[in-house]
Amino acid sequence: MSRDIRGPNEKLGTVLALAGISNAGLARRVNDLGAQRGLTLRYDKTSVARWVSKGMVPQGAAPHLIAAAIAGKLGRPVPLHEIGLADADPAPEVGLAFPRDVGAAVRSATELYRLDLAGRRGGGGIWQSLAGSFSVSAYATPASRWLISPADSSVAREAPDLREVRDGNGATGKDGAPNADTAPQHVGHSDVTKLREAAEDARRWDSKYGGGDWRSSMVPECLRVDAAPLLLASYSDEVGRALFGATSELTRLAGWMAFDTGQQEAAQRYYIQALRLARAAADVPLGGYVLASMSLQATYRGFADEGVDLAQAALERNRGLATARTMSFFRLVEARAQAKANEARACEVALKAAEGWLERSREGDPDPSWLDFYSYERFAADAAECYRDLRLPRQVRRFTEQALSRPTEEYVRSHGLRLVVSAVAELESGNLDAACAAGTRAVEVAGRISSARTTEYVRDLLHRLEPYGDEPRVVELRERARPLLVAPA
């Protein structure tokens, strides 16, 4: 369906010309993006001609998919108003802002939490129809503002009397204030402790079952139901810093889980808000951790140079602040990006520095709880991926053996990813039997978790095995992997 607006949509026509997208090309891109979100769309070049020449506005998610398709070609976010579709069904570019003001930052984050829940329950919202696909340029302003000022001067908040501002539905009042019956008037340390415990539980579930597991998917619900009312209540500067830190951890986790399930647009918005909350918390290492997560996403999406920049931003602000183990992880993330950029020397330097920092770490160091996962085995696993990207199979095998030396039920997803990397190394070394054996174990692990990223690793392995497609071992592995590849991520 579509509805008319007055006259031709000259804005859309102009941007399409700028992007070099034909009518048929745009229709194809929109249909493909819709399919990725579970939508069946059948637009063609005639549909696009009507949007441009007659000013017809498609309904539902289509305007936002149009913006996403054009953004993917231009390499930057494309707001609806730029293409003359701002008066379509409202879905603001929620979560992309990095406000300077703390109050505005609270509103930006809580707006994201509310809309995300609508998306999960209703099949729309941020998961399907928000404007703009993943665009690495959206990280430029958040990273620069965080580098300039990684901490706010004060975050104390005095909320209005909730009994006076409560609206007729008993939900929220002025300034988005929470329900007076359910939200505390003043936040205390015990409230923050509950959020931190929720974050620790979520990290364990995510590592063991993947970002798509139903237990992991409770994180957005926790942000909306538990964290948002606290952010909108009253708190001292001391409690507020702790509250922002705990909420930043949960928000980064929501982003990581979205990333793991292939929801790149949602992950990007969560990461931006997590970085802004870390700034309000005056927690520079946590902000660096969020930047490292942004770097991994940018690198995974093919923007290795930007991934290097984001990792180096995390490093630069944390010199003299973060623990040795934390600095090691940041250098490791930089190495991942350098490898993807095919900068072998820079990757080696970063890996050596990461290993050096890790060797300097000691039991009893005040490492943050969110870094519990990082061990020498994790360092070896990422080093193996670096050498895989640099096409050095001997080094991949060496580090993969170390990474797999102590498999644990606590980090099931990581174990599965390491097995795939091991299989690739064996294949590139000419050991087809060993590659298929490791691949079979990886498929078994991948079948126990809900992780689109792990599935994508398996898919890549099968692609590499295509030249050996008639080999019985490869045929068997492909059959074992078939249920995994056809199942919803």
Side-chain angles (χ1 to χ4, degrees):
M1 290 183 61
S2 62
R3 58 185 174 84
D4 293 334
I5 59 175
R6 293 184 178 180
N9 187 340
E10 295 179 355
K11 289 184 176 181
L12 178 58
T14 299
V15 176
L16 285 177
L18 177 66
I21 304 177
S22 67
N23 287 359
L26 178 63
R28 184 173 59 254
R29 288 168 182 263
V30 170
N31 291 340
D32 289 346
L33 287 172
Q36 293 173 19
R37 292 156 173 78
L39 303 175
T40 301
L41 303 176
R42 296 184 175 87
Y43 293 117
D44 56 24
K45 63 181 181 180
T46 303
S47 306
V48 179
R50 289 171 180 159
W51 301 341
V52 176
S53 63
K54 296 185 178 181
M56 299 182 74
V57 180
Q59 299 298 288
H64 314 291
L65 297 177
I66 293 169
I70 299 172
K73 188 67 182 295
L74 291 177
R76 63 171 176 80
V78 175
L80 290 181
H81 66 77
E82 184 179 351
I83 54 176
L85 299 176
D87 58 344
D89 292 339
E93 293 182 8
V94 61
L96 292 176
F98 191 92
R100 291 187 174 90
D101 176 70
V102 176
V106 168
R107 290 192 294 273
S108 181
T110 53
E111 181 184 37
L112 174 64
Y113 304 155
R114 288 196 298 270
L115 286 187
D116 175 63
L117 183 75
R120 284 180 178 266
R121 286 185 174 170
I126 196 169
W127 297 100
Q128 288 188 349
S129 65
L130 279 184
S133 60
F134 172 83
S135 174
V136 74
S137 62
Y139 283 149
T141 295
S144 62
R145 287 187 180 175
W146 184 83
L147 279 169
I148 292 168
S149 179
D152 291 295
S153 58
S154 175
V155 297
R157 175 184 170 92
E158 191 64 39
D161 189 327
L162 302 184
R163 291 166 297 182
E164 296 177 3
V165 302
R166 178 176 172 180
D167 72 4
N169 294 322
T172 61
K174 297 176 183 177
D175 193 32
N179 188 333
D181 295 334
T182 60
Q185 189 73 13
H186 296 282
V187 181
H189 285 294
S190 61
D191 299 305
V192 177
T193 298
K194 292 177 182 177
L195 292 184
R196 293 200 183 281
E197 290 174 350
E200 290 175 5
D201 288 343
R203 279 194 295 270
R204 286 193 293 271
W205 286 122
D206 171 64
S207 295
K208 193 169 184 178
Y209 298 106
D213 182 74
W214 69 268
R215 285 154 290 212
S216 299
S217 69
M218 293 302 290
V219 174
E221 179 83 357
C222 179
L223 287 168
R224 187 191 75 90
V225 174
D226 299 317
L230 296 176
L231 291 174
L232 292 163
S234 299
Y235 35 82
S236 67
D237 183 68
E238 178 195 4
V239 172
R241 301 284 188 192
L243 172 62
F244 281 115
T247 308
S248 175
E249 287 187 44
L250 274 169
T251 306
R252 194 214 65 88
L253 269 169
W256 179 256
M257 292 168 183
F259 168 64
D260 189 48
T261 54
Q263 298 286 349
Q264 304 299 332
E265 300 96 327
Q268 182 166 46
R269 287 164 168 80
Y270 278 125
Y271 285 155
I272 290 172
Q273 297 313 301
L275 184 63
R276 183 60 188 88
L277 294 169
R279 176 172 133 167
D283 192 332
V284 179
L286 178 58
Y289 187 39
V290 178
L291 284 167
S293 301
M294 291 176 170
S295 173
L296 289 169
Q297 184 190 29
T299 300
Y300 179 81
R301 295 289 291 174
F303 298 96
D305 287 341
E306 289 82 355
V308 171
D309 292 339
L310 289 162
Q312 290 181 345
L315 283 163
E316 192 59 37
R317 267 295 180 180
N318 274 282
R319 296 187 190 280
L321 293 175
T323 64
R325 187 177 298 272
T326 306
M327 292 295 285
S328 173
F329 180 71
F330 293 164
R331 289 309 302 262
L332 183 61
V333 171
E334 181 197 353
R336 290 290 301 273
Q338 297 283 14
K340 274 293 186 185
N342 201 31
E343 296 289 345
R345 176 57 182 160
C347 175
E348 290 272 6
V349 170
L351 280 176
K352 184 176 181 179
E355 189 169 23
W357 278 112
L358 193 56
E359 289 172 349
R360 287 197 289 275
S361 66
R362 296 289 181 269
E363 287 289 336
D365 286 352
D367 292 318
S369 60
W370 41 257
L371 201 63
D372 288 349
F373 68 92
Y374 187 48
S375 61
Y376 189 82
E377 287 74 25
R378 172 58 190 267
F379 165 81
D382 280 45
E385 294 211 39
C386 288
Y387 287 115
R388 177 204 60 190
D389 294 335
L390 294 173
R391 304 189 70 82
L392 296 171
R394 183 178 300 177
Q395 292 285 61
V396 177
R397 292 178 69 188
R398 178 168 71 89
F399 279 103
T400 300
E401 288 174 2
Q402 297 170 10
L404 292 171
S405 62
R406 289 196 303 171
T408 172
E409 283 297 308
E410 190 175 356
Y411 302 111
V412 177
R413 179 181 54 211
S414 293
H415 187 62
L417 295 174
R418 295 168 191 179
L419 285 168
V420 177
V421 174
S422 174
V424 171
E426 295 291 355
L427 179 63
E428 292 188 349
S429 297
N431 302 320
L432 185 60
D433 285 342
C436 290
T440 298
R441 295 200 302 275
V443 168
E444 190 276 328
V445 172
R448 293 157 49 195
I449 61 177
S450 181
S451 168
R453 192 159 48 100
T454 305
T455 300
E456 192 59 35
Y457 271 53
V458 172
R459 196 186 307 276
D460 175 69
L461 172 62
L462 294 176
H463 176 72
R464 294 170 185 262
L465 286 167
E466 285 180 359
Y468 312 92
D470 294 333
E471 291 283 342
R473 295 155 294 181
V474 177
V475 173
E476 181 183 358
L477 174 58
R478 190 165 54 240
E479 286 303 310
R480 286 177 178 270
R482 189 182 302 277
L484 174 69
L485 301 180
V486 300

